[in-house]
Amino acid sequence: MPGDEQDGKPAGASEGSREREARRIAAVRRYDILDTPPDGAFDRIAALAARLFDVPMATVTIVDSDRVWFKAAYGLEGATQTGRDASLSTSAILSDTPLIIPDTRHDALTRAHPMVAGPAGIRFYAAAPITTPDGHRLGTVDVLDTRPHRIAPEEATALTDLATLVMDQLELRLSALRMLRRERELLEAAHAARDRAEQERARTAAFAAALQSSLLPPNLPHVPGLQAACHYTTASVHDIGGDFYDIFPLGADRWAFCLGDVSGRGATVAALTSMIRHTLRTTALLEPDPRTVLETLNAALLADPAAGVRLCTLIYGTLVPHPAGGFTITLTGGGHPPAYHLRPAHQGLPPRAEPMQLSGGMLLGVLAEAPFVSRTFRLAPGEALLLHSDGLTASCTSHGARFDEMNLAAHLTHHAATSTAPRAAALIDDLAALLVTFPVGPADDVALLALSATLSEADGSPVGASGTTRTSGPRPHVRA
């Protein structure tokens, strides 16, 4: 459908063009993708496009009514959106075929464009439209360089294939959201059509698992001198919980980490959890004071009508390398169970697992003037820190007793006593094995995040290692 959007904008176009643009914008809204958090699948497509075309920049864009929003931006640090007049994507959605401009300074369409004539100095541009099954062009997959390029026809075909792959991801995401909305209606009809409902629950579980995974980092970042490991056990394969954790950089030699728990379950909780992670990441980059970060997040929760009466407990921490080795950690609490500082026997002191109490910290989403409490300490080489959600301490052991904070402290102290230097990966393995011994599984979702300061190599350089996200579900005989 070439020429659907005259000049890429509805303004000043014919009545038919305005109607087509309105239908295209309706399709953009239908996929509910604008302003969503970063997604590894789209980031990987942008990175693949850059490698395939040997260019420093590649984007996955969605063209909105008055802006071009970047779902992924490889090689464009911090770029999130631009005006339609300032983006070549506006021109690229005018055709079903790829737009390829080997040298933008010698092309009448682009020589005066701000991206070409301005500071960006783009000399090569190629894009393929992201087209829906019903023919609407949502945006583009773009590759850009400051040097001219010539590409072969098969490379143009590859760019079209990448745009089709983006469309496939959008369709899968839309399907998952639709299935989650239908889940409650289908379950209400379970008594009348039990077999059909069970089959639908199995399909829904797959979508729920995919969406649950999207709330957790696919892997943990490499931090020099730190080993990090994590684990997530869900209490129900049919619903989405609100437990989450994250580690992310704050700049040179500074990192942040968190573990939290949003009350309730379901798609609303998943959306709220995604908002909390996004707000926390964004605010942490702007605010050096951890208490201010939690105050900002608390205000966002109170202002969000979708949050309703949802509450969130949270531990937020920052990591800075310590001059004597290890890290200086500042923990700030929002009504969450305490983290544990594991230290092996040293200089006559016994091994211990100290609860890092943050008494007085209020959970988030309750009071506008909620107090938050911080505590700073050193995580020395050979020591570890554990953060956990309350699903761990709400579970019952094989003896029928609750595995409370006192039991957890004793278990962690034993781990410190039997380890030469507690390491994050070994600590997570130990607790994951413990969860398997609970006869009916955890009472609630369990999120675990462990950090350990590693010993240095012989040349004094720090060792860095990261664990990856591991998930598990309830035992098959447990009805969730």
Side-chain angles (χ1 to χ4, degrees):
M1 298 185 295
D4 272 3
E5 295 83 16
Q6 184 175 336
D7 297 327
K9 293 184 176 181
S14 67
E15 185 68 26
S17 295
R18 286 197 296 270
E19 290 179 1
R20 286 191 290 272
E21 171 66 2
R23 290 196 295 270
R24 191 192 70 80
I25 292 298
V28 170
R29 300 288 184 268
R30 182 173 77 233
Y31 285 91
D32 197 19
I33 192 68
L34 290 170
D35 300 312
T36 54
D39 187 306
F42 296 96
D43 292 340
R44 286 189 290 272
I45 292 172
L48 177 60
R51 288 196 299 271
L52 285 174
F53 287 85
D54 191 23
V55 296
M57 296 167 282
T59 60
V60 175
T61 71
I62 302 296
V63 180
D64 199 1
S65 57
D66 59 353
R67 60 173 176 159
V68 175
W69 180 74
F70 300 149
K71 180 57 183 172
Y74 178 87
L76 295 168
E77 187 67 28
T80 57
Q81 65 182 36
T82 187
R84 285 183 62 153
D85 290 338
S87 174
L88 290 167
S89 299
T90 303
S91 299
I93 64 168
L94 299 180
S95 172
D96 288 324
T97 59
L99 173 64
I100 300 170
I101 305 175
D103 190 337
T104 56
R105 291 186 182 176
H106 297 110
D107 188 274
L109 176 67
T110 59
R111 65 168 63 102
H113 194 280
M115 291 183 67
V116 176
I122 299 301
R123 292 291 302 277
F124 165 72
Y125 177 78
I130 301 166
T131 307
T132 67
D134 52 349
H136 297 293
R137 297 184 286 273
L138 306 180
T140 57
V141 174
D142 315 84
V143 289
L144 310 91
D145 201 349
T146 54
R147 298 179 294 110
H149 279 261
R150 293 282 178 184
I151 66 173
E154 59 268 21
E155 292 178 296
T157 300
L159 193 60
T160 298
D161 290 341
L162 290 175
T164 301
L165 185 58
V166 170
M167 193 64 245
D168 290 344
Q169 290 293 325
L170 292 175
E171 287 289 344
L172 285 172
R173 181 180 179 276
L174 182 60
S175 296
L177 291 174
R178 286 173 172 170
M179 290 302 299
L180 288 169
R181 294 184 189 117
R182 292 182 56 205
E183 180 183 8
R184 177 165 296 180
E185 297 175 6
L186 293 171
L187 291 177
E188 288 174 353
H191 291 295
R194 182 181 180 85
D195 292 341
R196 179 169 55 88
E198 287 298 327
Q199 294 172 1
E200 192 63 40
R201 281 164 61 90
R203 289 193 291 269
T204 303
F207 286 117
L211 189 54
Q212 184 80 71
S213 296
S214 74
L215 303 178
L216 304 172
N219 50 59
L220 301 182
H222 178 91
V223 179
L226 184 79
Q227 184 182 85
C230 52
H231 181 82
Y232 189 96
T233 294
T234 180
S236 170
V237 297
H238 299 297
D239 216 344
I240 305 162
D243 292 16
F244 64 94
Y245 50 78
D246 204 356
I247 302 179
F248 52 93
L250 296 177
D253 291 334
R254 287 188 74 232
W255 292 267
F257 61 93
C258 66
L259 189 144
D261 183 1
V262 179
S263 65
R265 305 188 68 82
T268 301
V269 169
L272 184 59
T273 302
S274 179
M275 183 275 282
I276 289 172
R277 283 190 64 208
H278 177 73
T279 302
L280 189 65
R281 276 179 167 251
T282 303
T283 307
L285 291 171
L286 302 174
E287 294 289 352
D289 183 358
R291 284 179 295 185
T292 303
V293 172
L294 263 63
E295 289 167 0
T296 303
L297 178 57
N298 186 56
L301 280 171
L302 291 171
D304 187 353
V309 294
R310 300 293 183 189
L311 309 177
C312 176
T313 65
L314 178 71
I315 286 186
Y316 168 68
T318 57
L319 285 165
V320 179
H322 192 281
F327 295 87
T328 297
I329 292 181
T330 298
L331 288 181
T332 304
H336 199 79
Y340 283 87
H341 185 185
L342 279 70
R343 287 177 278 188
H346 181 64
Q347 295 182 347
L349 294 174
R352 55 207 184 279
E354 178 187 355
M356 307 302 288
Q357 299 288 354
L358 296 168
S359 302
M362 175 68 74
L363 49 76
L364 291 88
V366 179
L367 299 175
E369 301 298 328
F372 301 107
V373 179
S374 290
R375 179 173 180 175
T376 300
F377 63 97
R378 179 189 175 202
L379 186 71
E383 298 179 352
L385 182 70
L386 174 73
L387 283 68
H388 70 93
S389 61
D390 60 5
L392 177 60
T393 51
S395 301
C396 291
T397 69
S398 57
H399 302 292
R402 180 182 171 189
F403 188 77
D404 56 18
E405 293 289 344
M406 184 178 298
N407 296 122
L408 177 59
H411 185 89
L412 295 176
T413 299
H414 175 74
H415 183 89
T418 55
S419 303
T420 305
R423 289 185 175 270
L427 180 56
I428 291 299
D429 286 343
D430 178 27
L431 292 173
L434 173 68
L435 287 169
V436 174
T437 69
F438 294 163
V440 294
D444 195 359
D445 289 7
V446 176
L448 303 173
L449 177 63
L451 311 174
S452 59
T454 59
L455 301 173
S456 298
E457 297 280 15
D459 63 0
S461 61
V463 178
S466 295
T468 56
T469 302
R470 300 185 306 166
T471 61
S472 61
R475 290 173 179 77
H477 70 271
V478 178
R479 289 187 60 82

